[in-house]
Amino acid sequence: MNTIELHKDTSFDVNKLREQFPILNQSVNGKPLIYLDNAATNQKPLSVINSISNYYETINSNVHRGLHTLSERATEAYEASREKVREFINAKSANEIVFVRGTTEGVNLVASSFGKANINEGDEIIVTEMEHHSNLVPWQNLCREKNAVLKYIPVNDEGELILDDLENLITEKTKIISVVYISNTLGTINPVKKIIETAHRHNVPVMLDAAQAAPHLKIDVQNLDCDFLAFSGHKIYGPTGIGILYAKEKFLEDMPPYQFGGEMIKSVSYEQTVYNELPYKFEAGTPNISGAISLGAAIDFINSTGLEVIADQEKKLFDHAMNRMKEIGGIRFIGTAKEKASVISFLLEDIHPYDTGSILDNLGIAVRTGFHCTQPLIEQRFKLPGTVRASFAVYNTTEEIDIFAEGLKKVKQMLA
Ligand code: 7TS
């Protein structure tokens, strides 16, 4: 193969990739669907969809139980997927990967289990002003139950964390810091490694909400040295109802179980129970087997497409969208951090976000409007009624963004 052919083979063809996403090929409200709500959930390639039906057509069976062949096959596929997740985030051991429902359950598990064992009256927990509700409400609730204090790392007008005071925010009472890696509302990529280094100098463990990071950048938990990390399958081209919690083994060993029942036990008598080894101690009940297996298929999709290719395409889409949107005039961007992912939150003139969203929907364009599950950030920090949010995935095209920009012009003509 000569170099020209080689180049042709490796170049990214978005239209070819789109053939793997049947949902994109449809009309909505009489217009071709333009799906720009990828931060909420992205669409699934055929390989993921097929892996779900393939599981039920060929090996459906409960895991870790039967000695029979199907159960062994299901268990093997389930555990192979755990290994894929381990590799995906470069964890030391598959024992550190717990299958959960998603990011929300991952945070709840840590708040509930680590919280029960380690948080006492007067202790402090630190989050940021830009947390998704799922990395805020569990900690708020824990603090209420334990009479502990929740502190916030502030956000500047550009939507970046103000870290100058972090050293002062951390005290002897700080028991854990939990931070969003990439903000779903602002798109800010937070300097989490720096936060982790600072926290560790004070012996404080750090949890990362990687719901928006997992689809966009390479996560290396050993390099980051984070103590806990969670993400959701449905934001990395996988199914809903499955996600993972990563935690360093030393924490998982010491933490009490989160839920109790089958799977999480080694032996049970009428008097007492011996808990199972890791990670099963945290996986009570029949798990989402098909979900876990097709999460593995989603990781295969990302690996075969290439995280770098995905990041390049998203950067191209983001830059193109920013240029087109700036041409329109009258758009206020919320979140203009230097380090940003492919998420654009904005307001068009003084038009209510819901009105902009509805008109775009009539044009077949799906965006999200409102608080994006970050109500304190939008309402209290930025004093806004909500924003419109466009978020891009690898299968979006610059032509779609041109239509989106024309749609915004139409909204402006109609309502400004
Ligand atoms: N953390 C972040 C940063 C998120 O963006 C989300 C979901 C979650 C946590 C919760 O993930 P789940 O899978 O457990 O629900 N974010 C969004 C969004 O931006 N629009 O809809 C869901």
Side-chain angles (χ1 to χ4, degrees):
M1 192 186 283
N2 66 36
T3 45
I4 294 168
E5 274 171 345
L6 194 80
H7 178 72
K8 210 164 72 187
D9 278 355
T10 52
S11 70
F12 175 66
D13 181 346
V14 69
N15 290 317
K16 193 141 188 285
L17 182 97
R18 285 173 72 88
E19 289 169 9
Q20 294 183 49
F21 291 84
I23 199 170
L24 298 175
N25 187 22
Q26 65 174 303
S27 291
V28 169
N29 298 322
K31 299 279 182 342
L33 168 68
I34 295 179
Y35 187 79
L36 303 180
D37 193 17
N38 295 286
T41 196
N42 55 23
Q43 301 302 345
K44 319 306 168 198
L46 281 170
S47 57
V48 169
I49 298 168
N50 291 341
S51 106
I52 299 169
S53 54
N54 191 44
Y55 166 77
Y56 284 112
E57 282 172 19
T58 60
I59 58 169
N60 174 46
S61 205
N62 215 328
V63 290
H64 304 132
R65 296 176 192 204
L67 255 179
H68 62 82
T69 306
L70 281 198
S71 173
E72 275 173 13
R73 285 180 187 160
T75 305
E76 234 168 69
Y78 181 75
E79 291 305 325
S81 196
R82 196 191 305 274
E83 174 56 25
K84 272 181 199 168
V85 174
R86 183 205 67 71
E87 206 182 315
F88 185 60
I89 60 170
N90 193 32
K92 247 186 225 158
S93 155
N95 292 346
E96 299 173 318
I97 309 296
V98 179
F99 283 123
V100 290
R101 267 197 308 125
T103 311
T104 302
E105 189 175 36
V107 180
N108 273 279
L109 194 161
V110 178
S112 163
S113 164
F114 177 89
K116 194 180 279 175
N118 295 288
I119 308 294
N120 297 304
E121 188 171 342
D123 282 344
E124 296 171 356
I125 294 167
I126 299 176
V127 294
T128 78
E129 283 182 343
M130 64 167 84
E131 297 310 322
H132 186 280
H133 296 161
S134 67
N135 193 36
L136 170 56
V137 183
W139 302 115
Q140 223 174 34
N141 183 58
L142 176 65
C143 288
R144 193 179 47 80
E145 279 178 2
K146 298 277 196 163
N147 256 324
V149 180
L150 191 59
K151 291 167 131 185
Y152 295 90
I153 300 173
V155 170
N156 69 18
D157 290 343
E158 283 69 47
E160 295 165 323
L161 293 178
I162 303 171
L163 290 173
D164 310 348
D165 275 343
L166 183 57
E167 292 275 1
N168 295 329
L169 217 54
I170 300 173
T171 73
E172 274 156 29
K173 299 195 167 220
T174 308
K175 289 292 149 67
I176 189 166
I177 300 179
S178 193
V179 176
V180 66
Y181 196 156
I182 296 182
S183 161
N184 63 311
T185 298
L186 305 167
T188 313
I189 304 173
N190 287 318
V192 292
K193 198 165 177 192
K194 195 171 141 194
I195 296 172
I196 292 163
E197 281 166 7
T198 309
H200 284 181
R201 275 203 300 280
H202 298 267
N203 287 320
V204 176
V206 177
M207 166 146 205
L208 296 181
D209 167 355
Q212 297 294 341
H216 303 296
L217 47 85
K218 173 70 195 157
I219 292 174
D220 182 334
V221 291
Q222 292 189 69
N223 179 267
L224 288 168
D225 201 24
C226 56
D227 303 284
F228 304 94
L229 177 143
F231 69 79
S232 305
H234 71 96
K235 293 192 201 281
I236 64 160
Y237 307 96
T240 52
I242 189 78
I244 67 98
L245 170 71
Y246 158 83
K248 283 182 184 163
E249 220 164 330
K250 63 173 180 181
F251 287 104
L252 289 178
E253 289 289 358
D254 289 345
M255 281 157 53
Y258 167 56
Q259 290 180 335
F260 301 80
E263 279 284 295
M264 54 76 66
I265 50 93
K266 191 169 260 166
S267 75
V268 182
S269 72
Y270 285 123
E271 290 74 33
Q272 62 170 6
T273 292
V274 179
Y275 303 139
N276 208 341
E277 59 208 28
L278 295 178
Y280 313 112
K281 180 174 124 184
F282 292 100
E283 291 183 0
T286 299
N288 181 354
I289 305 166
S290 71
I293 293 170
S294 37
L295 175 63
I299 290 174
D300 288 341
F301 166 77
I302 289 185
N303 288 339
S304 65
T305 309
L307 258 175
E308 261 174 51
V309 170
I310 294 173
D312 282 353
Q313 173 70 358
E314 288 174 351
K315 171 88 172 62
K316 184 171 123 187
L317 296 164
F318 176 80
D319 290 345
H320 187 71
M322 286 302 286
N323 288 336
R324 293 303 314 267
M325 290 170 80
K326 281 177 186 162
E327 282 165 19
I328 296 167
I331 293 184
R332 177 178 166 197
F333 296 96
I334 316 300
T336 49
K338 280 185 264 333
E339 296 294 326
K340 253 197 86 146
S342 55
V343 171
I344 303 179
S345 261
F346 64 96
L347 288 164
L348 179 53
E349 305 282 358
D350 53 3
I351 302 165
H352 197 280
Y354 292 138
D355 296 330
T356 306
S358 315
I359 295 175
L360 291 175
D361 181 49
N362 280 331
L363 299 171
I365 302 165
V367 293
R368 183 151 180 201
T369 56
F371 296 134
H372 321 296
C373 298
T374 55
Q375 191 174 355
L377 176 74
I378 299 276
E379 241 179 12
Q380 290 174 265
R381 173 61 188 82
F382 282 98
K383 311 240 178 309
L384 296 170
T387 75
V388 184
R389 183 186 70 185
S391 52
F392 312 120
V394 64
Y395 44 67
N396 287 125
T397 66
T398 48
E399 290 78 13
E400 287 183 313
I401 286 167
D402 291 339
I403 299 170
F404 165 63
E406 290 308 310
L408 289 177
K409 279 188 202 160
K410 212 166 273 177
V411 176
K412 192 175 162 183
Q413 278 161 12
M414 286 169 73
L415 299 180

